[in-house]
Amino acid sequence: MMTIQTVCRFCDHECPVTVELDEANQPVRITHDRIREGFFCPGGVNALELMHNPKRVRTPLIVQTGADGKKSFRQASWEEALALTAEKLHAAFQQYGQESVVAIGGFNKPIHRAAYQRFCNVAGIINRVVTGNMCHMVQSVSAVHTFGTPLKPNLSKETKTIVLWGLNPANTMRWDSRALLNTVENGADLILVDPIPGIYAAKAKTWLPITPGTDLALIFGMIHIILEKDWYDQSFVEKHTVGLEELREAVAAYTLERTAELCGIEADRIVEAAQMIAKNGPVAFMYGNALHHNHDSYQKCRGMAILIALTGNVDVPGSMLSPGGMSPRNRTYGTSLHNTEAFPSQWRERGLTYDKYPLKEYNGVSGQEAVRAMQAGKIRAGYVHAADPVLQWADSKATARALGSLDFLAVSDFLLTPTAMQADVVFPAATYLEYESVIIDENENLRYSPRLSSQYDVLPDFEILRRLTVSMGKEDGFWTDAEAYWDAILEPYGYTLQDLREKGYVETPYQPEPMRVRNYRETGFPTSDGKIHLVLSEREGWVAPIPSYEPMQQAVDAAYPLHCTTYKPGAFFGGAGQQTKRQISMQPVPVAYIGTDVAERYGLSDGDQIRVISRTGCCIQAAKVAEGMARNTVALSNARWLPDEDGWEEQLAACANNLSSMDLDTGKEIPAFSCRGIACRIEKL
């Protein structure tokens, strides 16, 4: 039996996999190379089941309305579906203006990201929805504003303490989970800040089951303790920071008693964690989406950066280091292939959110802003590429209605997702097994990956976008074919796609710049004045100089006495995988975690069906009692739906984002919506 080495392309980590072929050279088994390292993602190894899924979209679909007024899909040719899409997009441009069309891109395969941006530029699409408002952008930017550089945790033999805050890498970033567990096994202490225990609570020296949404209050409470007890790195702070006295004033109100009450955490646990962070360094901070999913996401990440600075856990081995630079040869990132010249710069000013938000690095449109524009008739048509906004955006049912009300919507996906069901045209996308590609590994060695299956009438993302540009008469601004695209990516390396077809694998003389100590303590930090900015200067006054904690508008009261949050189940990547049997078997029903206090209050046991209700909407999931969980809290499985139900509203009954609002608790610096800490109540079914 023959084997082929390739990579999974369902996310940007691009893990290596081995594909076994039968006598007819058809793929029959996928082995994830990192299973032997102790972690793997179920998406990549189940690509064959996805590819052959009986519910898979295997040919273009066009919506039709029957005599009874009900809508259904009919099969169509690529030519018909592309021509209809081009016609409808042109009609929206001509009748309602250039800003009446929206492009919605998800967490796309990196190797095709340039093609998506190039398509938007040559097609003249002004409004583009991106994921940065909800995923890691504020974390990187807040570090740059504070230190002059982004920071990443350096888990090494020097690391004495790891702070794991609002992140569950066992479910979402498995490569980081293995490194974390190895570091703990080698003697590092673990501080866990999470409402749900997960697999890390048993390994943590101290676990802080925080009330969802109160992260900034806890950060301020820790800073207050560290300053009050003189635990901060005084020589480092005096030499390298500005704004210490303003910081003291800002955190003065966050006494231990108040912090414990706000965050629902025992006071002695807070003191223990603060002391470990201040005294048991080097400390590596791993913090994630839980800090990005609230109205104060930027402020939370600024607070975390200040805590890192105050304790001197930056630019020393085992702490927080500046990451290595991106290779100038790798064109899969950056804008060199985007053909920005095709998009007049003045068009940007006509976008929905141009110059609207203080965080100037953010230049996209958020989901809630796009939905409001659809509801107001400003957006009339759209194209969704590698995304499922109905599951991922605030107020899922309102999002579905808005997408379904458009004059025209085209969606590219593998299956009829909740978003695809609102479409007029559905394009069937190819899995990574079904197209020829080039792999550029972490050391920039080049590997050829052949097309391993051609059973269905599906196309890779690049080819869908290319054919759309041709149908719209914009082909002059795009690549002529896939080979030209891959040649453009390979050009800096001095190879062509044909070279790789012949060679199979090429080593290039490049070693990526490692994450390392930069000696900022001697040369100064890369800010405007060489100092770490605990308080931002007037030159950076377009955001608040210092964070401030603001409770949520959707606060708990007698009618909504519980705090709701969400978690990402390990069986799925976002909403993907919920129509794949092997992945569904890992979590057959959506599970809502509750603490013993909530279980006793409502008379609940494992498996009981509960309806969780917010001021915006509700969802139904199965209860699971978790020992030690944050009090008065329910944690919902994120982005779940029920594919076997009839009708999209019934299918969305389990979706946690039914509870999130497009209008309440949205970000000021960046338009994040809140799905952590929402006030709710429970009904037992």
Side-chain angles (χ1 to χ4, degrees):
M1 187 172 284
M2 182 179 176
T3 61
I4 295 287
Q5 296 291 123
T6 185
V7 299
C8 169
R9 289 220 150 112
F10 287 155
C11 82
D12 69 337
H13 200 67
E14 299 186 324
C15 294
V17 295
T18 300
V19 182
E20 295 181 7
L21 307 178
D22 62 14
E23 292 77 7
N25 284 331
Q26 291 300 308
V28 292
R29 185 169 180 266
I30 299 173
T31 302
H32 202 302
D33 287 8
R34 286 182 168 146
I35 289 177
R36 62 178 177 270
E37 298 175 28
F39 66 91
F40 71 100
C41 169
V45 296
N46 289 314
L48 279 171
E49 186 182 342
L50 171 62
M51 188 172 75
H52 297 304
N53 193 313
K55 294 184 178 181
R56 187 181 180 194
V57 181
R58 298 177 180 177
T59 188
L61 302 176
I62 293 178
V63 76
Q64 61 183 3
T65 304
D68 58 358
K70 292 184 178 179
K71 291 186 176 182
S72 61
F73 287 107
R74 66 172 176 85
Q75 294 185 356
S77 66
W78 278 99
E79 290 74 15
E80 181 185 10
L82 289 162
L84 177 61
T85 301
E87 174 191 339
K88 294 296 186 180
L89 294 181
H90 277 310
F93 284 143
Q94 292 168 5
Q95 187 171 357
Y96 300 105
Q98 206 72 28
E99 53 269 52
S100 67
V101 175
V102 65
I104 300 169
F107 190 61
N108 191 26
K109 311 167 189 69
I111 205 74
H112 287 150
R113 187 176 292 131
Y116 169 70
Q117 292 295 343
R118 194 178 186 106
F119 163 75
C120 291
N121 283 335
V122 302
I125 298 176
I126 295 173
N127 291 313
R128 308 173 196 178
V129 180
V130 296
T131 59
N133 66 310
M134 295 294 288
C135 189
H136 287 90
M137 185 176 189
V138 289
Q139 185 167 320
S140 176
V141 171
S142 63
V144 172
H145 291 172
T146 307
F147 299 97
T149 174
L151 296 176
K152 289 188 175 182
N154 172 227
L155 300 181
S156 66
K157 65 181 186 299
E158 290 86 2
T159 303
K160 296 291 181 58
T161 301
I162 301 171
V163 177
L164 186 61
W165 195 314
L167 176 69
N168 184 0
N171 285 3
T172 58
M173 303 167 69
R174 292 165 175 84
W175 49 94
D176 285 343
S177 182
R178 184 67 268 164
L180 183 157
L181 293 173
N182 285 342
T183 308
V184 171
E185 289 167 6
N186 289 334
D189 291 329
L190 176 64
I191 299 171
L192 175 66
V193 183
D194 200 315
I196 315 171
I199 70 167
Y200 301 107
K203 298 182 180 296
K205 184 166 185 180
T206 186
W207 168 33
L208 309 182
I210 187 172
T211 297
T214 63
D215 306 85
L216 186 54
L218 180 57
I219 293 169
F220 273 5
M222 287 183 172
I223 291 174
H224 178 100
I225 293 168
I226 290 168
L227 290 175
E228 183 180 53
K229 295 182 177 295
D230 287 336
W231 286 346
Y232 68 99
D233 189 332
Q234 297 183 30
S235 60
F236 178 82
V237 169
E238 181 178 344
K239 182 177 180 181
H240 295 291
T241 73
V242 292
L244 178 61
E245 295 311 311
E246 293 95 327
L247 177 63
R248 286 185 190 275
E249 183 178 345
V251 303
Y254 292 86
T255 62
L256 178 58
E257 294 74 17
R258 185 185 180 208
T259 302
E261 181 180 359
L262 284 170
C263 302
I265 303 170
E266 296 172 7
D268 58 347
R269 292 196 194 187
I270 298 174
V271 174
E272 180 184 17
Q275 186 171 18
M276 288 171 65
I277 291 171
K279 295 296 185 180
N280 193 36
V283 181
F285 293 75
M286 301 176 69
Y287 50 109
N289 274 168
L291 275 67
H292 312 147
H293 292 172
N294 274 112
H295 62 292
D296 58 351
S297 60
Y298 172 79
Q299 302 280 24
K300 286 176 179 174
C301 291
R302 265 277 294 146
M304 192 68 76
I306 292 169
L307 180 60
I308 292 168
L310 195 66
T311 54
N313 282 299
V314 59
D315 206 37
V316 293
S319 69
M320 304 298 289
L321 302 184
S322 179
M326 189 70 67
S327 166
R329 296 193 301 180
N330 193 333
R331 290 181 167 180
T332 58
Y333 297 94
T335 62
S336 63
L337 298 180
H338 292 185
N339 192 3
T340 54
E341 297 81 7
F343 190 83
S345 58
Q346 63 270 23
W347 281 6
R348 301 184 190 280
E349 300 178 14
R350 291 156 54 185
L352 282 174
T353 56
Y354 177 77
D355 210 26
K356 181 178 179 180
Y357 289 97
L359 205 66
K360 300 305 180 185
E361 292 86 347
Y362 177 76
N363 57 6
V365 177
S366 73
Q368 59 268 28
E369 291 162 327
V371 168
R372 284 194 287 265
M374 295 174 198
Q375 293 169 335
K378 295 179 180 179
I379 288 180
R380 311 292 300 203
Y383 173 57
V384 180
H385 180 83
D388 194 353
V390 171
L391 290 184
Q392 299 290 357
W393 293 0
D395 198 342
S396 293
K397 291 186 177 180
T399 296
R401 293 187 190 100
L403 289 167
S405 72
L406 292 175
D407 296 343
F408 179 79
L409 178 67
V411 173
S412 168
D413 214 319
F414 305 120
L415 300 148
L416 283 178
T417 63
T419 295
M421 284 186 285
Q422 311 303 320
D424 298 283
V425 169
V426 180
F427 296 122
T431 68
Y432 67 86
L433 301 170
E434 297 171 299
Y435 58 85
E436 179 183 46
S437 67
V438 170
I439 300 159
I440 304 173
D441 70 17
E442 58 190 7
N443 293 316
E444 296 208 356
N445 299 316
L446 311 175
R447 185 186 297 278
Y448 173 68
S449 179
R451 184 182 185 185
L452 299 177
S453 180
S454 56
Q455 298 182 45
Y456 308 117
D457 190 19
V458 299
L459 292 176
D461 296 328
F462 167 84
E463 186 62 18
I464 295 172
L465 294 166
R466 189 192 71 80
R467 293 193 188 189
L468 267 177
T469 60
V470 173
S471 298
M472 296 178 71
K474 302 288 187 177
E475 63 269 29
D476 288 347
F478 211 72
W479 294 278
T480 55
D481 55 28
E483 186 151 353
Y485 170 65
W486 295 118
D487 284 349
I489 288 175
L490 290 169
E491 182 182 4
Y493 301 95
Y495 292 94
T496 65
L497 180 62
Q498 183 57 35
D499 293 333
L500 280 194
R501 287 187 185 123
E502 296 170 358
K503 297 177 182 295
Y505 178 79
V506 174
E507 291 187 358
T508 64
Y510 173 79
Q511 290 296 321
E513 183 183 7
M515 184 166 58
R516 58 178 175 82
V517 172
R518 307 278 173 174
N519 296 316
Y520 292 139
R521 294 167 184 249
E522 286 74 37
T523 63
F525 284 80
T527 57
S528 56
D529 56 4
K531 301 288 186 179
I532 298 170
H533 293 181
L534 305 179
V535 177
L536 299 183
S537 67
E538 292 181 2
R539 292 187 298 276
E540 296 151 333
W542 30 265
V543 293
I546 200 163
S548 60
Y549 173 67
E550 296 180 10
M552 295 184 67
Q553 294 171 292
Q554 302 172 84
V556 298
D557 56 21
Y560 300 93
L562 303 178
H563 302 274
C564 178
T565 189
T566 63
Y567 70 93
K568 298 176 182 177
F572 315 110
F573 185 81
Q578 295 185 64
Q579 290 168 289
T580 304
K581 290 181 180 179
R582 288 178 63 187
Q583 289 175 254
I584 279 290
S585 69
M586 298 171 67
Q587 194 186 75
V589 297
V591 171
Y593 286 99
I594 57 173
T596 53
D597 62 315
V598 175
E600 292 172 3
R601 179 175 180 176
Y602 291 92
L604 297 171
S605 301
D606 286 354
D608 286 344
Q609 292 288 303
I610 59 173
R611 179 182 288 113
V612 185
I613 307 164
S614 75
R615 295 178 175 91
T616 299
C618 66
C619 78
I620 298 171
Q621 297 193 5
K624 175 71 175 176
V625 182
E627 292 287 338
M629 186 170 159
R631 295 184 59 80
N632 299 317
T633 296
V634 54
L636 296 168
S637 184
N638 178 60
R640 293 301 300 269
W641 65 299
L642 307 173
D644 294 331
E645 294 292 325
D646 293 328
W648 64 264
E649 291 200 57
E650 292 76 14
Q651 292 175 345
L652 290 177
C655 186
N657 276 349
N658 291 338
L659 279 69
S660 295
S661 172
M662 285 187 286
D663 302 309
L664 298 174
D665 295 307
T666 58
K668 296 178 181 178
E669 295 86 4
I670 189 171
F673 68 85
S674 290
C675 56
R676 316 274 184 166
I678 301 169
C680 69
R681 67 174 184 267
I682 284 178
E683 293 177 357
K684 181 180 178 181
L685 300 183

